[in-house]
Amino acid sequence: MEGYTGKILRVNLTDGEFAVEDLDPDLIRQYVGGRGLGTKILYDEIDPAIDPLSPENKLIFLNGPLTGTGAPAGARYMVITKAPLTNTIACSNCGGSFGPELKQAGYDGIIFEGCSEEPVYLWIDNDNVEIRPAIDLWGKTTHETDDLIKAEIEDKFVARDTQIACIGPAGENMSKLACIISNRNRAAGRTGVGAVMGSKKLKAIAVRGTKGIKIANKEAFKKAVISAMDKLNAGPVTHEALPALGTPVLVNIVNECKILPTYNWQSSSYENANKISGETMAATIVTKHKGCFACSIACAKCTKVDSPDFKGEGEGPEYENIILMGSSCGIDDLAAIAKASYLCNELGMDTISVGGTIATAMELFEKGYLTEKDAGMKLNFGNAKALVAMTEKMGRGEGFGLVMADGGAPLAEKYGHPELFMGVKKLEAPAYDPRGVQGMGLQYATSNRGACHVRGYSMANEILGVHEKIDPLVTEGKAAVVITFQNLTAIIDSAGLCLFVALCPGFLYEEVQGLLNGATGFNYTIDELVQAGDRIWNLERLFNKKAGFTKEDDMLPKRLLEEPAGPNNDVCRLNEMLPEYYKLRGWDNGFPTQEKMSELGLK
Amino acid sequence: MDKIRIKIDHSKCTGCRHCETACSSNHYENIVNPALSRIRVFIDEKTDQFFPVIAGPFTEAECTCKYDVIIDGKEYDECNVCRASCPQRTWFREPDTGVPLKCDLCGDPPSPNCVEICNHGALSIVEI
Ligand code: SF4
Ligand code: SF4
Ligand code: SF4
């Protein structure tokens, strides 16, 4: 098999057994890999109604066929499981070098089942697989874990080549905002996948591989790689904006469009946006540009903060968390935002959800629903020290942090104001206000893992005009645009590419097809890939249906539907888009019809 | 062959390892494997320093005299950035056979694959 290794490692943590299994080539072809294939495996193997933190849940790490092959931005592994935060299907993906190394060791992925009694970590050196005790690692931060595992490896040159994915204290405490961290600062961030790892008492996976990945057609693949790189190098976002400033380039752009969540989405532009912009970040804290495996874009920014209150070093912050921890909390202190982000990486929490939850808490506090006594500190908007202190408490599960560590929805509920939670399906919304970019509202409402920007980034056309410039303020035609992005994203994710490639004009199915066919020799047609994207999206939907979701869950927070804001002083007119969306998807009552299912070969 | 040299500017390197994939797939039929690459990138994740190293000659034994180097104010064991195919290290030797790997300034006329793929200006060609 080419592109893939064709092998998956199945590890049962309850009895400490593992086995190497063959992947079914027909299934791979239908679901491409990564997100698609992982969802299929999970759908077939678990009952979607189970408790995500029970031993019955499975945790799947899976590469795409392009991961580690040298396809530009082909760095990604995906974590598929039932999400503790949302109770939906979860697929969080992560760059760095972990996925590629796992593939070099001979595995497309790993399925974890059951639950260990004592903390363990998995060691993989090609064919040598061991479940090792991790009692000494339990309680350690992600950075400490990385250091300690590497220090245990006798040969320091092997240690140097080893790649690690792990959880921090947040994952151990099963915080529903916990993520999985690899390469110290890259995260499989959203929906609480780190808590599943914690529930299984799996602290880390360390892998080293030297086996090589087979490529089906060297010449065709090389041609596709060069063509993809040429495209990326001609795109203003992928060649200029992201390499120079990283994702924070968006701060000023989004603020100018008046769609920047501010004061927990009470407003959609921020007077001090410039203080937290990508430009300011580059001029003050960025020390270096960094790239995931084989990435020709290199959007990651290494940063260093010297100010005595918030001293630290790490990667980021990224755009989304600058806004959720910054303007949405009324905070314009970039050093504090960076510090809170470093803490999230070290303690293993999703920066977006942490920011969103703190913003909700701040509004509860300002309105007098949450008292200083309860919170243990003053949680007023603009309180940078509280942002950092609360982030640390959440990560360590201390004091009121323990309450907040399960996200904004239960918090707002507990204090009697569920409407102050700004998210969908309990997932805190990312940093684009749909009252001024209507398609994103439809995307948040319909995304299978809750309010999420990386499941269908219609922003690319609505605001950035990447492939085609369309009017962000209208609802007409948005259903089709959102569906197109959702299906394409399912393919990009499943292939193992970084979604940022789609921020390059014309980087659509053709480019992905060229790379996939060169690597796998599958000779996919475009139609087949479009249909596979549709199939993956529909299968995720079916998972959610079995998990108990209904059409009513495709809903935005009241604020976005009723309180006007944004450039047009409008609300998000979801009801003008949703029926058309269902119709175009071939769904009845929010779910695929029998007819649609048989068209896609789904059961 | 001796008309060109490769220039490495480690300050521009992003640690992406694209060069490793390119070199390996250029030297082996339909295989991508950094472990078979004649260029490896030493990555210090704690300090975010990235050093591309291109394989030099084979040595039969590790050095008896070891030393540390200071680069950008940080101290490193020289073995991290050394270019020898040395028995004490994993790099620049075929993992299964131990056969040493050495950069052959590939391409005819030389058009080093690593330089071609590096998108960040860390590797360049100097004509002499
Ligand atoms: S664009 Fe950024 S996140 Fe995506 S692969 Fe490249 S460096 Fe990683
Ligand atoms: S391709 Fe260039 S930037 Fe990337 S690791 Fe190699 S030398 Fe560094
Ligand atoms: S010049 Fe060729 S052989 Fe030498 S390191 Fe670069 S790609 Fe490898």
Side-chain angles (χ1 to χ4, degrees), chain A residues 73 75-76 95 186 242 290-292 295 297-300 498 500:
Chain A
R76 303 251 144 192
R186 309 296 313 169
L242 284 175
K290 188 172 177 178
C292 298
C295 181
I297 303 171
C299 77
C498 172
F500 288 169

Side-chain angles (χ1 to χ4, degrees), chain B residues 13-19 41 52 118 120 122-123:
Chain B
C13 177
T14 64
C16 74
R17 304 172 62 194
H18 215 174
C19 47
V41 187
C118 177
H120 307 291
L123 304 177

Side-chain angles (χ1 to χ4, degrees), chain A residues 25-32 40 524 532-533 535-536 600-601:
Chain A
D26 287 341
L27 220 53
I28 291 186
R29 186 175 182 126
Q30 278 180 51
Y31 290 94
V32 184
K40 174 65 177 159
Y524 278 119
R535 181 179 300 118
I536 295 164
L600 296 171

Side-chain angles (χ1 to χ4, degrees), chain A residues 70 156 160 183 213 233 294, chain B residues 16 18 32-33 45 77 80 119:
Chain A
K156 66 179 177 186
R160 185 170 80 163
N183 296 96
I213 302 166
N233 283 342
Chain B
C16 74
H18 215 174
V32 176
N33 186 356
E45 281 188 329
D77 177 347
N80 280 316
N119 209 38

Side-chain angles (χ1 to χ4, degrees), chain A residues 188-507:
Chain A
R190 306 226 68 194
T191 69
V193 291
V196 179
M197 199 156 154
S199 75
K200 301 198 172 308
K201 292 255 168 47
L202 177 66
K203 179 68 179 175
I205 306 160
V207 60
R208 180 214 175 216
T210 56
K211 287 190 173 178
I213 302 166
K214 288 202 194 96
I215 298 295
N217 185 333
K218 180 172 164 172
E219 290 313 318
F221 185 64
K222 189 172 173 189
K223 227 173 101 195
V225 169
I226 299 297
S227 149
M229 281 178 68
D230 286 347
K231 271 229 159 99
L232 293 171
N233 283 342
V237 179
T238 45
H239 190 55
E240 286 153 32
L242 284 175
L245 303 178
T247 53
V249 69
L250 284 166
V251 176
N252 280 334
I253 300 172
V254 171
N255 191 47
E256 272 155 33
C257 296
K258 296 199 172 65
I259 52 170
L260 192 87
T262 305
Y263 300 112
N264 199 33
W265 306 67
Q266 296 181 81
S267 157
S268 57
S269 55
Y270 187 43
E271 60 282 9
N272 295 340
N274 194 39
K275 287 195 179 167
I276 55 172
S277 68
E279 289 79 356
T280 301
M281 186 167 141
T284 54
I285 61 172
V286 172
T287 55
K288 196 146 192 173
H289 307 292
K290 188 172 177 178
C292 298
F293 191 88
C295 181
S296 58
I297 303 171
C299 77
K301 302 291 161 258
C302 307
T303 55
K304 186 163 182 250
V305 172
D306 291 321
S307 89
D309 284 342
F310 305 119
K311 209 170 166 51
E313 246 178 288
E315 255 176 65
E318 300 288 342
Y319 166 72
E320 309 295 331
N321 78 282
I322 290 184
I323 300 314
L324 273 303
M325 292 176 163
S327 55
S328 197
C329 291
I331 290 170
D332 61 9
D333 185 340
L334 192 57
I337 298 167
K339 180 68 182 180
S341 313
Y342 301 155
L343 282 169
C344 282
N345 288 344
E346 287 160 32
L347 301 170
M349 278 185 301
D350 171 25
T351 52
I352 303 181
S353 283
V354 167
T357 303
I358 294 179
T360 294
M362 285 183 167
E363 190 174 352
L364 287 167
F365 181 88
E366 294 269 350
K367 300 212 154 124
Y369 308 137
L370 170 64
T371 61
E372 184 178 344
K373 191 163 161 277
D374 266 14
M377 63 179 81
K378 275 206 176 70
L379 272 179
N380 51 309
F381 280 124
N383 189 339
K385 283 200 168 138
L387 166 75
V388 174
M390 190 47 85
T391 302
E392 176 135 31
K393 284 194 182 304
M394 289 166 77
R396 298 199 184 274
E398 291 167 1
F400 195 67
L402 193 60
V403 178
M404 304 232 330
D406 279 338
L411 180 78
E413 186 88 34
K414 183 177 158 100
Y415 287 92
H417 290 273
E419 75 283 2
L420 299 187
F421 163 67
M422 298 303 298
V424 177
K425 301 186 177 81
K426 299 204 178 125
L427 184 68
E428 291 72 16
Y432 315 91
D433 191 327
R435 289 171 289 191
V437 50
Q438 297 283 340
M440 286 306 279
L442 180 63
Q443 156 57 20
Y444 293 170
T446 57
S447 156
N448 290 321
R449 67 169 191 180
C452 169
H453 58 303
V454 287
R455 281 296 174 276
Y457 196 67
S458 61
M459 269 287 295
N461 281 4
E462 290 184 284
I463 298 291
L464 304 174
V466 171
H467 307 284
E468 184 194 348
K469 179 77 183 96
I470 56 174
D471 185 351
L473 303 175
V474 303
T475 53
E476 289 87 57
K478 290 298 161 70
V481 174
V482 167
I483 292 172
T484 305
F485 275 101
Q486 287 178 339
N487 291 355
L488 173 66
T489 303
I491 293 301
I492 290 177
D493 286 349
S494 301
L497 290 175
C498 172
L499 182 57
F500 288 169
V501 296
L503 293 178
C504 161
F507 205 116

Side-chain angles (χ1 to χ4, degrees), chain A residues 549-563:
Chain A
F549 284 83
T550 67
K551 183 171 127 212
E552 276 64 47
D553 295 303
D554 292 341
M555 192 34 74
L556 290 173
K558 229 163 96 187
R559 173 165 287 160
L560 303 181
L561 298 171
E562 292 176 7
E563 296 172 23

